[in-house]
């Protein structure tokens, strides 16, 4: 335990002057991997054929993302992650698992919706999915930056984020007056 703390402190010094957080030893650069998916999703309502690119998007672990990136401190980011304190890394990993769980459950649903061809429903579902992904990414960012701690499991995080999605669309509001 003492040796791990020594390594953690060493990495905290090594990451100084980089975009790797010196407290958590995590980098928000990893979230760019998910930003790509969010940007593609936001194009789908106007260009449903873009969903092929969404389906081509592949998940990457934190380490895979950095190994495949041109990030200046990519090797340091991978090593620092291994020494990130459990208070940050475990909630971060749970949040990332929640993101992947949401992706696994929602992509097939959106694919079915696109096959049905209803533009309004495609728009509603893809934008809600994109919004929920963004909420989880915001949580991950908060953890990376050391300002938020979550101890919930991935499934619980997904349900919480989906429950926050209580804004009614215009057709739901209109139906109240029918």
């Amino acid at each position: 335990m003492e040796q791990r703390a020594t390594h953690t402190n060493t990495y905290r010094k090594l990451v100084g002057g980089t975009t790797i957080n010196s407290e958590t030893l995590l980098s928000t650069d990893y979230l760019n991997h998910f930003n790509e998916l969010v940007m593609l999703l936001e194009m789908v309502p106007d260009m449903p054929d873009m969903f092929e690119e969404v389906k081509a998007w592949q998940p990457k672990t934190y380490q895979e993302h950095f190994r495949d990136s041109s990030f200046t401190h990519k090797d340091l980011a991978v090593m620092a992650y291994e020494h990130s304190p459990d208070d940050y890394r475990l909630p971060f990993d749970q949040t990332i698992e929640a993101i992947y769980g949401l992706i696994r459950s929602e992509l097939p649903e959106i694919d079915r919706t696109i096959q049905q061809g209803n533009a309004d429903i495609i728009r509603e579902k893809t934008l809600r999915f994109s919004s929920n992904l963004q909420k989880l990414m915001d949580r991950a960012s908060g953890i990376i930056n050391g300002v938020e701690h979550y101890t919930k499991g991935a499934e619980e995080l997904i349900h919480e984020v989906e429950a926050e999605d209580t804004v009614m669309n215009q057709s739901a509001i209109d139906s109240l007056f029918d």
Side-chain angles (χ1 to χ4, degrees), residues 44-59:
V44 168
D46 296 319
M47 299 179 287
D49 57 318
M50 288 297 295
F51 194 69
E52 290 304 315
E53 289 194 43
V54 169
K55 290 191 303 189
W57 180 91
Q58 292 295 309

Side-chain angles (χ1 to χ4, degrees), residues 120-149:
D120 291 335
I121 296 173
I122 293 169
R123 177 171 305 284
E124 178 187 334
K125 286 188 177 186
T126 56
L127 295 180
R128 182 174 2 110
F129 175 38
S130 175
S131 173
N132 287 338
L133 274 177
Q134 190 61 56
K135 288 173 190 175
L136 286 169
M137 289 168 49
D138 290 346
R139 288 175 184 223
S141 179
I143 294 165
I144 290 168
N145 290 305
V147 295
E148 296 188 27
H149 295 275

Side-chain angles (χ1 to χ4, degrees), residues 6-146:
T6 300
H7 286 135
T8 297
N9 288 333
T10 299
Y11 278 98
R12 284 183 169 148
K13 291 176 185 167
L14 289 172
V15 301
T18 72
T19 59
I20 302 168
N21 184 285
S22 62
E23 176 66 24
T24 67
L25 298 178
L26 300 169
S27 175
T28 56
D29 188 81
Y30 178 56
L31 300 180
N32 290 337
H33 178 55
F34 301 104
N35 283 328
E36 176 185 348
L37 180 60
V38 169
M39 287 188 293
L40 289 169
L41 280 168
E42 290 175 349
M43 289 188 266
V44 168
D46 296 319
M47 299 179 287
D49 57 318
M50 288 297 295
F51 194 69
E52 290 304 315
E53 289 194 43
V54 169
K55 290 191 303 189
W57 180 91
Q58 292 295 309
K60 290 184 181 183
T61 66
Y62 188 90
Q63 295 90 331
E64 289 168 338
H65 168 77
F66 284 105
R67 286 187 189 116
D68 295 346
S69 79
S70 59
F71 184 66
T72 305
H73 305 287
K74 66 184 190 175
D75 294 330
L76 181 58
V78 170
M79 292 184 295
Y81 170 84
E82 297 299 328
H83 293 89
S84 174
D86 288 347
D87 289 350
Y88 299 107
R89 197 182 75 251
L90 296 178
F92 173 75
D93 288 346
Q94 290 171 334
T95 304
I96 297 305
E97 182 53 39
I99 290 171
Y100 285 132
L102 188 64
I103 292 168
R104 284 189 300 271
S105 70
E106 291 296 320
L107 285 185
E109 178 63 29
I110 291 174
D111 198 14
R112 283 189 292 277
T113 302
I114 289 171
Q115 300 308 315
Q116 294 168 354
N118 185 319
D120 291 335
I121 296 173
I122 293 169
R123 177 171 305 284
E124 178 187 334
K125 286 188 177 186
T126 56
L127 295 180
R128 182 174 2 110
F129 175 38
S130 175
S131 173
N132 287 338
L133 274 177
Q134 190 61 56
K135 288 173 190 175
L136 286 169
M137 289 168 49
D138 290 346
R139 288 175 184 223
S141 179
I143 294 165
I144 290 168
N145 290 305

Side-chain angles (χ1 to χ4, degrees), residues 143-174:
I143 294 165
I144 290 168
N145 290 305
V147 295
E148 296 188 27
H149 295 275
Y150 294 95
T151 57
K152 297 177 180 174
E155 288 297 316
E156 195 175 359
L157 280 173
I158 291 171
H159 292 299
E160 185 177 298
V161 165
E162 288 175 339
E164 291 173 1
D165 191 19
T166 58
V167 176
M168 297 176 78
N169 66 23
Q170 188 60 49
S171 64
I173 293 169
D174 291 345

